[in-house]
Amino acid sequence: MNQQVVRRFWLFWAVFGLYAGALAQPPGGPVVVSPQVNADNTVTFRLLAPGAKDVKLNAQFEKAPVAMTKDAQGVWSVTTAPVKPDMYPYSFVVDGISVADPKNSAIFPNEGFQNSVVEINGSTPLVHSLRNVPHGTVSYRYYTSPELGQRPVVVYTPPGYETDTKTTYPVLYLLHGTTDVEETWTKVGRANIILDNLIAQGKAKPMVIVMPYGRAYPTISKSSGSLRNWDNLQAFKKDFMGNLFPFVEKNYRVKKDKDSRAIAGFSGGGGETLYLGLNNPDLFSWVCGFAPGMLKEEFDRNNATAFANPTQTNQRLKLFWIGVGKEDGLYPIINDYLKVLDEKKIKHETLISEGGHTWMNCKLYLSTIAQKLFQ
Amino acid sequence: MNQQVVRRFWLFWAVFGLYAGALAQPPGGPVVVSPQVNADNTVTFRLLAPGAKDVKLNAQFEKAPVAMTKDAQGVWSVTTAPVKPDMYPYSFVVDGISVADPKNSAIFPNEGFQNSVVEINGSTPLVHSLRNVPHGTVSYRYYTSPELGQRPVVVYTPPGYETDTKTTYPVLYLLHGTTDVEETWTKVGRANIILDNLIAQGKAKPMVIVMPYGRAYPTISKSSGSLRNWDNLQAFKKDFMGNLFPFVEKNYRVKKDKDSRAIAGFSGGGGETLYLGLNNPDLFSWVCGFAPGMLKEEFDRNNATAFANPTQTNQRLKLFWIGVGKEDGLYPIINDYLKVLDEKKIKHETLISEGGHTWMNCKLYLSTIAQKLFQ
């Protein structure tokens, strides 16, 4: 190598090495592409881990972790069977430690674990596939809580919101699950893309979607368990009613009647949804639980107002909707809950789907209710 | 345990296990909090990895990886010495594999490696500290490229943008480094918070900041190396000029004269910045390179227009600014470049800082130039 080439080589590694210092893999190693979605809907996953003894793929389209094999350069890989088109969380299990895919910037935002996300589009666009249609805006905002400080919230405004400045919109409050954060509904649930597509097809009304952070941190510790725990529920309710709700009504062109307000949520956020939604019939006419977390003793707590006068409840609620997968661990208790609703003659719609407690089902549930809300 | 307690126990683990299935750690394990920033500015990092043989902390405030120790429950931990307040990328190195902190939802968005981010605030708020001041909006948008499809861009609009609907604003195009993505400048560079604070203090003009994705993917592969590589530079320029620029001018209330347009970028995006900024003096009067990536043979390429008529260049440019750290691998070549600028009598300002090729320096550089732009 002549001097210039030597210098360039040195410079490249000096800079790359400094920048990617935390990568802890040898410079000059093999180029690793992962995930690689193939034309036949198989997926090739790769991880450079020359020192690892055992690497598995843990993907939510597989029933169990799948062994990966190492090549001479230390790259572990596996190519799956054809995968049903959808968007799935996955991770690698390296000698027992779960890690996200370092080559994939599509991350599952979460404060309890690290997953990556892979999208298999197939030949027909899905309801959550990014397409060339008018797109809404996803805004990251802060509002102020006297107790909790600066609180993050993600807000979807539909296509045309910025230009149709006389139009007001109905609003959906959409809550994430336990250990998720305010951007999980867009990044893993694709709420914005689902609405873009359904609005473009005339199947959903243009609406604003408000996605707050469901944990009353720092009052409630991030390691304090379910969002449904009583202390979090109380602190979150206070923040929701006292700070978030006024922030939204002041800063967004949302309609201010209860028939133009919906609340929905997944898992622990589904528990929050039933508690806030059913006990505040003056605020919300549309209440949707996506595999809502609950224990039997919460039935009355969540439904105190609704159970007190079923006739009035049925008149007030435009939609009370519950979705759950048959393989979800919550399926038995949600079934018990649905029986109680029948006994009490509380009107409700259900979607009992395939699958488990997953974000694949969340996308299905959101795309289902989005076509019912405000219609 | 009575039947109800048994049932609740089973339900909890069924649901939690399904949801956090990819976590690959035993249910019922210890509660792990990480990172924990202590009152004396030390930080305790923890990782549950009972099967690991060696775990180190790789943090950008340390000169080298630091050993962590395992307790009886399999939790590895280390408490650092007091850390200079700032926001730093870090990872854990588990038996040679770099992993982000699974308990920390603050992720470094990147397509080449995985890091987490920890913030040590200290007793005095820093320029990037989230404070109770009016906040701008960070919007995630898509624009359409005929060649590249739906392209992501993150846009900061200053406090009051939504309500002062007659006001137009100057605009800064802000480019990330190689392997970064469109949200790295907000999530690791805190561009929005820095501007919120400087605007609140009257030190920066309210401005719009446009943060595009700097790789012309899928035309250019994600594994094709630096953003400055010629093919990417050409495809990115085409997208920037043909699609992004018209999208911004159409959809945002930005001033449309060159004196109201700035371009800045870090590392590979700094190379893109010099190439686009200096060769298009009709578009940008403010050009800032943050440790801009370059090779000697790029000097002329980036500066062809500027070098052709230094007097005119100096008249046209309101600011030509270069920042670099003394420990940056690019420091020698940027020094060579600055000498050429002196020889050619091209006016420029410099900030030669401490530190290396880091996002700590990026925050310093952005907060420095934000107080000069459009003044």
Side-chain angles (χ1 to χ4, degrees):
Chain A
M1 294 196 274
N2 66 32
Q3 203 183 353
Q4 196 185 1
V5 174
V6 170
R7 183 177 169 78
R8 195 186 309 176
F9 182 80
W10 175 86
L11 260 173
F12 175 76
W13 287 119
V15 174
F16 184 78
L18 277 165
Y19 186 47
L23 187 52
Q25 64 184 39
V31 170
V32 176
V33 175
S34 184
Q36 174 188 306
V37 180
N38 306 308
D40 59 355
N41 294 344
T42 65
V43 187
T44 304
F45 295 90
R46 297 184 181 92
L47 177 73
L48 179 66
K53 292 190 177 51
D54 178 71
V55 179
K56 292 188 177 71
L57 167 71
N58 195 357
Q60 291 198 6
F61 53 78
E62 303 280 8
K63 290 290 176 195
V66 174
M68 298 173 72
T69 54
K70 185 166 74 163
D71 71 11
Q73 293 183 293
V75 178
W76 296 76
S77 69
V78 66
T79 297
T80 67
V83 178
K84 180 187 170 195
D86 204 330
M87 198 169 93
Y88 301 91
Y90 72 97
S91 66
F92 299 124
V93 186
V94 182
D95 293 337
I97 310 295
S98 182
V99 310
D101 186 342
K103 296 301 178 189
N104 184 357
S105 62
I107 284 286
F108 186 140
N110 195 279
E111 57 195 26
F113 56 83
Q114 297 258 312
N115 271 207
S116 302
V117 177
V118 62
E119 189 175 5
I120 297 101
N121 277 315
S123 50
T124 311
L126 302 170
V127 70
H128 62 263
S129 301
L130 181 61
R131 303 175 71 172
N132 188 5
V133 300
H135 295 297
T137 297
V138 173
S139 296
Y140 286 52
R141 303 288 301 260
Y142 292 100
Y143 63 95
T144 301
S145 156
E147 291 83 15
L148 309 173
Q150 302 298 297
R151 293 276 292 169
V153 59
V154 172
V155 180
Y156 168 84
T157 46
Y161 179 91
E162 289 87 355
T163 47
D164 305 338
T165 56
K166 303 272 186 219
T167 308
T168 58
Y169 298 85
V171 56
L172 164 63
Y173 290 82
L174 186 57
L175 309 182
H176 60 71
T178 298
T179 75
D180 297 328
V181 297
E182 68 281 2
E183 58 179 357
T184 310
W185 257 115
T186 49
K187 295 212 165 172
V188 191
R190 285 277 174 101
N192 52 323
I193 307 295
I194 287 172
L195 265 290
D196 287 348
N197 288 333
L198 292 175
I199 291 168
Q201 294 162 23
K203 292 180 179 169
K205 298 263 188 196
M207 65 183 81
V208 171
I209 306 182
V210 177
M211 293 159 277
Y213 176 46
R215 191 176 293 280
Y217 176 82
T219 297
I220 306 295
S221 143
K222 289 183 184 181
S223 55
S224 66
S226 173
L227 298 178
R228 286 170 24 248
N229 289 351
W230 188 248
D231 288 348
N232 186 65
L233 212 50
Q234 295 313 300
F236 178 66
K237 175 186 170 185
K238 186 176 183 187
D239 177 47
F240 189 102
M241 298 300 179
N243 309 313
L244 175 67
F245 199 80
F247 172 83
V248 171
E249 303 246 322
K250 181 181 171 196
N251 288 286
Y252 288 90
R253 297 195 314 279
V254 292
K255 294 183 194 292
K256 296 183 180 176
D257 60 295
K258 71 187 185 66
D259 289 355
S260 300
R261 280 196 215 101
I263 186 166
F266 171 51
S267 193
E272 290 177 325
T273 292
L274 297 193
Y275 178 70
L276 291 177
L278 297 177
N279 287 326
N280 291 284
D282 296 342
L283 288 182
F284 303 103
S285 292
W286 313 76
V287 178
C288 304
F290 303 162
M294 59 179 75
L295 297 172
K296 205 153 193 165
E297 55 266 41
E298 292 174 44
F299 289 4
D300 282 331
R301 181 182 81 180
N302 288 342
N303 295 271
T305 305
F307 286 5
N309 189 333
T311 307
Q312 201 176 45
T313 300
N314 292 335
Q315 284 167 349
R316 282 176 165 178
L317 285 177
K318 295 263 186 187
L319 178 68
F320 179 27
W321 190 97
I322 301 282
V324 65
K326 288 177 197 165
E327 294 169 48
D328 194 319
L330 287 174
Y331 181 56
I333 195 157
I334 290 177
N335 246 331
D336 289 348
Y337 179 65
L338 295 175
K339 283 177 201 153
V340 172
L341 295 181
D342 284 337
E343 286 162 18
K344 302 271 185 186
K345 297 193 178 3
I346 306 285
K347 269 199 307 191
H348 57 279
E349 293 184 26
T350 58
L351 173 57
I352 310 299
S353 68
E354 301 303 313
H357 204 71
T358 69
W359 278 90
M360 292 80 83
N361 268 341
C362 281
K363 296 195 295 293
L364 170 67
Y365 302 156
L366 176 63
S367 57
T368 302
I369 67 128
Q371 299 178 58
K372 297 174 178 285
L373 295 180
F374 318 120
Q375 303 276 8
Chain B
M1 294 196 273
N2 66 31
Q3 204 184 352
Q4 195 184 6
V5 174
V6 170
R7 184 179 169 77
R8 195 186 308 177
F9 182 78
W10 176 84
L11 260 173
F12 175 77
W13 287 119
V15 173
F16 184 78
L18 278 165
Y19 186 48
L23 188 51
Q25 65 183 37
V31 169
V32 176
V33 174
S34 182
Q36 174 189 305
V37 179
N38 305 308
D40 58 355
N41 295 345
T42 64
V43 187
T44 304
F45 294 90
R46 296 184 181 92
L47 177 73
L48 179 66
K53 290 189 179 53
D54 179 70
V55 179
K56 292 189 178 71
L57 167 71
N58 195 358
Q60 291 197 8
F61 53 79
E62 303 279 8
K63 290 290 176 194
V66 173
M68 297 173 71
T69 54
K70 185 166 75 164
D71 72 10
Q73 293 183 293
V75 177
W76 297 76
S77 68
V78 66
T79 297
T80 68
V83 178
K84 181 187 168 196
D86 204 330
M87 199 170 91
Y88 300 91
Y90 72 97
S91 66
F92 299 125
V93 185
V94 182
D95 293 337
I97 310 295
S98 181
V99 310
D101 185 341
K103 297 301 179 189
N104 184 357
S105 63
I107 284 285
F108 186 140
N110 195 278
E111 57 194 27
F113 57 83
Q114 297 257 314
N115 272 206
S116 302
V117 177
V118 62
E119 190 173 4
I120 297 100
N121 278 316
S123 50
T124 311
L126 302 170
V127 69
H128 62 263
S129 301
L130 181 60
R131 302 177 70 173
N132 188 5
V133 299
H135 295 297
T137 298
V138 173
S139 295
Y140 286 52
R141 304 288 301 259
Y142 292 100
Y143 63 95
T144 301
S145 156
E147 292 83 15
L148 309 174
Q150 303 298 297
R151 293 276 292 168
V153 59
V154 172
V155 181
Y156 168 84
T157 46
Y161 179 91
E162 289 88 355
T163 47
D164 305 339
T165 57
K166 304 273 186 218
T167 308
T168 58
Y169 297 86
V171 56
L172 164 64
Y173 290 82
L174 185 58
L175 310 183
H176 60 71
T178 297
T179 76
D180 298 328
V181 297
E182 68 280 2
E183 57 179 357
T184 310
W185 256 115
T186 48
K187 294 211 167 173
V188 190
R190 284 277 175 99
N192 52 323
I193 307 295
I194 288 172
L195 265 291
D196 286 348
N197 288 333
L198 291 176
I199 291 168
Q201 293 162 23
K203 292 180 178 170
K205 297 263 187 195
M207 65 184 81
V208 171
I209 307 182
V210 177
M211 292 159 276
Y213 176 45
R215 191 177 292 281
Y217 176 83
T219 297
I220 306 296
S221 146
K222 289 183 184 181
S223 55
S224 67
S226 173
L227 298 178
R228 285 168 27 247
N229 289 351
W230 188 248
D231 288 349
N232 186 64
L233 211 50
Q234 295 312 299
F236 178 66
K237 175 186 170 185
K238 186 176 182 185
D239 178 46
F240 189 102
M241 298 299 179
N243 309 312
L244 174 67
F245 198 79
F247 171 83
V248 171
E249 303 245 320
K250 183 181 170 197
N251 288 285
Y252 288 89
R253 297 193 316 277
V254 291
K255 295 184 193 293
K256 296 183 179 175
D257 59 295
K258 71 186 184 67
D259 289 355
S260 300
R261 280 195 214 101
I263 185 165
F266 171 51
S267 192
E272 291 177 325
T273 293
L274 298 193
Y275 178 71
L276 291 177
L278 296 177
N279 287 325
N280 291 284
D282 297 342
L283 288 182
F284 303 104
S285 293
W286 314 76
V287 178
C288 305
F290 303 162
M294 60 179 74
L295 297 172
K296 204 152 193 166
E297 56 266 42
E298 291 174 43
F299 289 4
D300 282 332
R301 180 182 82 182
N302 288 341
N303 295 272
T305 306
F307 286 5
N309 190 332
T311 307
Q312 200 176 46
T313 299
N314 291 335
Q315 284 167 349
R316 281 177 166 177
L317 285 177
K318 296 261 187 189
L319 179 68
F320 179 27
W321 190 97
I322 301 282
V324 66
K326 288 177 199 167
E327 295 169 48
D328 194 319
L330 287 173
Y331 181 56
I333 195 157
I334 290 177
N335 247 331
D336 289 349
Y337 179 65
L338 295 175
K339 283 177 202 155
V340 172
L341 295 180
D342 284 336
E343 285 161 20
K344 302 269 185 187
K345 297 195 177 4
I346 307 284
K347 270 199 307 193
H348 58 279
E349 293 184 25
T350 58
L351 174 56
I352 310 299
S353 68
E354 301 303 313
H357 204 69
T358 69
W359 278 90
M360 291 80 83
N361 268 340
C362 281
K363 296 195 295 291
L364 170 67
Y365 302 157
L366 176 63
S367 57
T368 302
I369 66 128
Q371 299 178 58
K372 297 173 177 287
L373 295 179
F374 317 122
Q375 303 276 8

